[in-house]
Amino acid sequence: MIATGSTANTQAMIEAQTVRGRSLWVDARRRLFQNKAALASIVILTVIALMAIFAPALSQYPFDAIDYSVVSCAPNWWPDPDVLCHAGGTHWFGTDPVGRDLFVRTLYGARVSLAVGLVATFVSLVIGVIYGATAGFIGGTTDNLMMRVVDVLYSLPFIFFVIILMVIFNRNFILLFVAIGAVEWLTMARIVRGQTLSIKQKEFIEAAHAAGVSRFGIITRHIIPNVIGPVIIYVTLTIPSVILAESFLSFLGLGIREPLTSWGVLISEGANQMVTAPWMLIFPALFMAVTLFCFNFIGDGLRDALDPKDR
Amino acid sequence: MLSYAIKRVLGAIPTIFIIITLAFFMMRLAPGGPFDSQRALPPEIEHNIEKAYNLDKPLYVQYGLYLERLAHFDLGPSFKNRDFTVNELLAEGVPVSAKLGLSAMVLAIFFGVLLGVLAALYQNRAADYGVMTIAMIGITIPTFVTAPILTMIFGVYGLNLFGYDVTLPVAGWNNGAFQNMILPVFVLALPQIAIVARLVRGNMVEVLHSNYVRTARAKGLPGHMVVIRHALRAGLLPLVSYLGPAIAALLTGSLIVETIFGLPGIGRYFVNGALNRDYTLVLGVVIVYAVLIVVLNLIADLLYAVLDPRVRYD
């Protein structure tokens, strides 16, 4: 009886050894995919991103082709040779006052908006992580000084400085990325710095030191994986705020220049034409709102999935 | 407390100074002067104009002159609106923007608190989910999308409520008439209502589960009294520290709202000034905005320190 019991125990122990423990990331992914809002958001965002990437292939119209025979056409889905607007083919989202197809323009707007979102977020990520990690790692007076600088910059009304920059450099496209990215890195730096500071003092780091793990090993094996969670969450929340900032500038006429377009430009044009051509406002606004929603849901989902306290 | 206050006030001064300096030198980095776009002038006239605006002096001298003027609260002449000084333009615009911003703030706090408390009291029930969905929409969808869409619904198509035509004016200030204020103020307040509602809900849920609220209930105080007398005080306190960021958000939002609705506030001056390269005007508005944000943040922080007995900064 006792013998069989211990065999079962041994069996269980062997099984426990062969079943690999789930890593943090597998666990987090499982929880993220169980979150229906986040999962749906990932799917929708992927579709929008793919549509943006393959925009030229999805439409028969070039994004900047002016055609005065189809001025301000309402959205139409089925060809009808008797109607002037349909003569050259259907315009799914309608056309603008110079006859450009709004469907392809909305997708090109998505290209610019998403590109600005990703690039500017990357800029903020690089600056923020390096700055924050340096401050957190060195600590002491250097840390104090570096964080004082962040505090001062925090209290500046940055969007106004971005506007001034755009005015001075005549709406330079690349500068737009850099300017917005340079605005958004402050919070990232704070998050990374706080995280590095708190992890540096944890017992498992000390244990790793005692066990003779190299400095490099501690950084790559222990510090980075623990910092990366909050950083990923914040990145998903930075992208929509960058898209917003770009659209804000473009809406005011200070961002992207014609014939290139972004959602902000399209919404601004749509707002001017909303009495005669409401579709010019509705479609870009819808795309932008859905995208912003998706990023926010994914951010929330990631936070729930990666927060160890929630387990 | 006093030493904390002095420390904060002293901390705000360099911030304002940095803002002024940054803004001034950024404006001067711009290629081309403010008079470039006009027809070519004879060199001697151009020189005289530059002299009149001190543009012929070295940059650091100009900076010194600007600071000297600023110390007398003089923001200089506008480069593009020839007959006006920046002070005159701001004096026209500030009351409009202030009325707009204050109304939006009041609206945001009133509805935000109301919705947040409701959601907390009915936590995880239909009312809660409803409020939080609205809040999510309010936070995600930007002002420049809500403004045209609401204008389209209420202004262009108009609404017929119970036989009354409630079509609202879509643009213009009309000396701050009530019906002209409704749309801009609501659009401006919407994101803030959403943020305040979220914030209040979070705090209230926590407070409603705390021991002293349970004690108040246990001693037989009626439900509404528990909420009003005990829970609200602690639940609304964190709102004070949100006032600073809220002001900044309202100022940024007012750029959009004033542009869309054609309101003669300083936000529109700023946008037009930026588009026309009216350097002194842009600089003036940035300085006004920056000082407002820094000072109001300071007040919010000090207020918080006074109101919350747990916070002691000495």
Side-chain angles (χ1 to χ4, degrees):
Chain A
M1 196 55 200
I2 295 162
T4 44
S6 70
T7 338
N9 264 344
T10 332
Q11 197 69 34
M13 276 170 70
I14 291 167
E15 256 174 52
Q17 273 171 352
T18 46
V19 173
R20 274 197 76 210
R22 283 198 304 264
S23 80
L24 170 75
W25 298 107
V26 176
D27 212 31
R29 193 172 59 206
R30 197 173 51 88
R31 261 179 299 176
L32 182 65
F33 285 164
Q34 273 169 1
N35 183 337
K36 293 213 173 57
L39 191 63
S41 301
I42 292 173
V43 173
I44 294 172
L45 261 190
T46 312
V47 171
I48 291 179
L50 287 177
M51 280 169 77
I53 293 168
F54 297 109
L58 289 176
S59 177
Q60 53 175 315
Y61 307 102
F63 76 101
D64 53 354
I66 293 171
D67 183 354
Y68 286 110
S69 65
V70 286
V71 167
S72 293
C73 285
N76 45 66
W77 291 73
W78 291 277
D80 179 352
D82 297 335
V83 182
L84 185 65
C85 275
H86 300 199
T90 54
H91 295 276
W92 293 345
F93 288 3
T95 61
D96 69 5
V98 289
R100 291 179 295 198
D101 180 66
L102 206 65
F103 174 70
V104 73
R105 280 185 79 69
T106 304
L107 294 190
Y108 268 82
R111 279 183 156 193
V112 171
S113 291
L114 291 176
V116 172
L118 292 176
V119 175
T121 303
F122 184 72
V123 171
S124 82
L125 181 73
V126 171
I127 304 177
V129 168
I130 292 175
Y131 196 94
T134 312
F137 235 75
I138 298 173
T141 322
T142 319
D143 173 41
N144 252 333
L145 205 71
M146 285 174 86
M147 283 301 124
R148 275 299 298 162
V149 172
V150 170
D151 285 345
V152 170
L153 290 177
Y154 229 90
S155 55
L156 302 185
F158 251 114
I159 194 74
F160 300 108
F161 284 99
V162 175
I163 290 177
I164 295 178
L165 266 182
M166 294 311 287
V167 171
I168 293 170
F169 294 102
N170 219 355
R171 296 157 67 187
N172 183 322
F173 190 64
I174 293 164
L175 190 82
L176 185 66
F177 292 125
V178 178
I180 298 177
V183 174
E184 297 282 343
W185 67 272
L186 295 169
T187 314
M188 188 70 82
R190 276 190 175 173
I191 291 173
V192 173
R193 179 242 175 200
Q195 207 69 11
T196 317
L197 262 186
S198 75
I199 288 165
K200 210 171 63 171
Q201 292 155 352
K202 287 271 160 65
E203 285 91 348
F204 70 87
I205 299 289
E206 215 172 304
H209 268 301
V213 182
S214 70
R215 208 181 156 82
F216 180 76
I218 288 174
I219 292 174
T220 50
R221 286 286 297 171
H222 297 294
I223 296 204
I224 289 180
N226 280 296
V227 175
I228 219 165
V231 167
I232 289 177
I233 295 168
Y234 190 66
V235 161
T236 48
L237 296 174
T238 305
I239 295 172
S241 74
V242 169
I243 291 178
L244 262 183
E246 182 277 320
S247 306
F248 176 86
L249 292 174
S250 292
F251 183 88
L252 293 177
L254 294 161
I256 302 297
R257 270 201 279 197
E258 290 282 327
L260 212 61
T261 193
S262 80
W263 284 333
V265 177
L266 289 172
I267 290 169
S268 153
E269 287 168 359
N272 290 332
Q273 302 288 332
M274 68 183 160
V275 182
T276 50
W279 53 88
M280 281 184 63
L281 173 64
I282 290 166
F283 287 108
L286 196 70
F287 263 70
M288 182 159 154
V290 167
T291 305
L292 294 177
F293 264 119
C294 287
F295 274 115
N296 275 305
F297 279 130
I298 294 174
D300 283 354
L302 277 173
R303 183 170 14 220
D304 294 343
L306 286 170
D307 193 350
K309 278 181 292 184
D310 214 35
R311 233 163 273 181
Chain B
M1 181 59 226
L2 189 69
S3 71
Y4 170 72
I6 292 170
K7 223 167 98 186
R8 281 303 317 268
V9 172
L10 288 180
I13 292 169
T15 309
I16 291 175
F17 188 72
I18 290 170
I19 292 170
I20 294 170
T21 311
L22 259 180
F24 180 86
F25 284 104
M26 275 169 78
M27 283 320 299
R28 291 306 151 93
L29 273 179
F35 309 110
D36 281 1
S37 60
Q38 287 148 1
R39 63 202 148 86
L41 295 167
E44 56 269 30
I45 295 180
E46 205 174 311
H47 182 74
N48 282 341
I49 292 179
E50 282 188 347
K51 207 169 173 182
Y53 287 99
N54 286 324
L55 290 173
D56 56 338
K57 299 198 172 62
L59 201 54
Y60 64 91
V61 177
Q62 289 184 37
Y63 177 62
L65 286 169
Y66 191 79
L67 283 186
E68 197 188 319
R69 270 194 178 153
L70 206 57
H72 302 112
F73 299 103
D74 179 6
L75 294 162
S78 163
F79 278 174
K80 286 288 149 87
N81 303 290
R82 272 305 159 67
D83 298 328
F84 294 92
T85 64
V86 174
N87 285 44
E88 284 166 350
L89 289 173
L90 288 183
E92 270 174 41
V94 166
V96 174
S97 295
K99 193 174 175 189
L100 195 66
L102 280 177
S103 313
M105 198 74 191
V106 171
L107 203 68
I109 291 174
F110 179 76
F111 282 106
V113 169
L114 194 72
L115 290 175
V117 170
L118 269 181
L121 288 179
Y122 295 95
Q123 195 195 351
N124 293 337
R125 281 192 262 171
D128 183 19
Y129 291 127
V131 167
M132 283 306 105
T133 310
I134 295 172
M136 186 76 181
I137 294 172
I139 290 172
T140 340
I141 300 188
T143 309
F144 54 85
V145 174
T146 45
I149 286 178
L150 288 179
T151 311
M152 200 153 84
I153 296 170
F154 292 101
V156 178
Y157 294 123
L159 270 193
N160 222 327
L161 272 186
F162 311 114
Y164 290 101
D165 179 31
V166 287
T167 305
L168 295 168
V170 295
W173 181 240
N174 197 9
N175 284 324
F178 181 68
Q179 64 269 35
N180 286 63
M181 294 267 293
I182 297 173
L183 273 179
V185 168
F186 184 71
V187 165
L188 195 55
L190 194 63
Q192 303 311 314
I193 294 176
I195 294 172
V196 170
R198 257 193 182 186
L199 201 69
V200 169
R201 178 190 176 271
N203 296 329
M204 282 299 281
V205 164
E206 208 171 292
V207 170
L208 285 173
H209 287 124
S210 65
N211 289 333
Y212 75 93
V213 168
R214 195 179 308 133
T215 309
R217 286 229 168 87
K219 72 178 188 188
L221 209 60
H224 65 275
M225 289 297 283
V226 173
V227 173
I228 294 168
R229 289 269 300 269
H230 295 279
L232 263 184
R233 285 193 184 182
L236 295 188
L237 195 55
L239 205 61
V240 176
S241 57
Y242 174 67
L243 287 179
I247 304 274
L250 280 180
L251 290 177
T252 319
S254 70
L255 295 185
I256 292 280
V257 169
E258 286 175 14
T259 308
I260 290 180
F261 292 102
L263 308 178
I266 53 174
R268 208 175 54 149
Y269 282 135
F270 180 71
V271 174
N272 288 341
L275 290 171
N276 296 331
R277 299 174 162 239
D278 191 340
Y279 297 145
T280 41
L281 182 58
V282 169
L283 203 54
V285 178
V286 167
I287 289 170
V288 169
Y289 273 150
V291 170
L292 259 181
I293 290 174
V294 171
V295 169
L296 291 172
N297 252 322
L298 185 68
I299 293 173
D301 280 0
L302 293 180
L303 201 62
Y304 195 74
V306 172
L307 288 178
D308 191 343
R310 288 168 305 182
V311 182
R312 284 286 169 261
Y313 293 99
D314 303 311

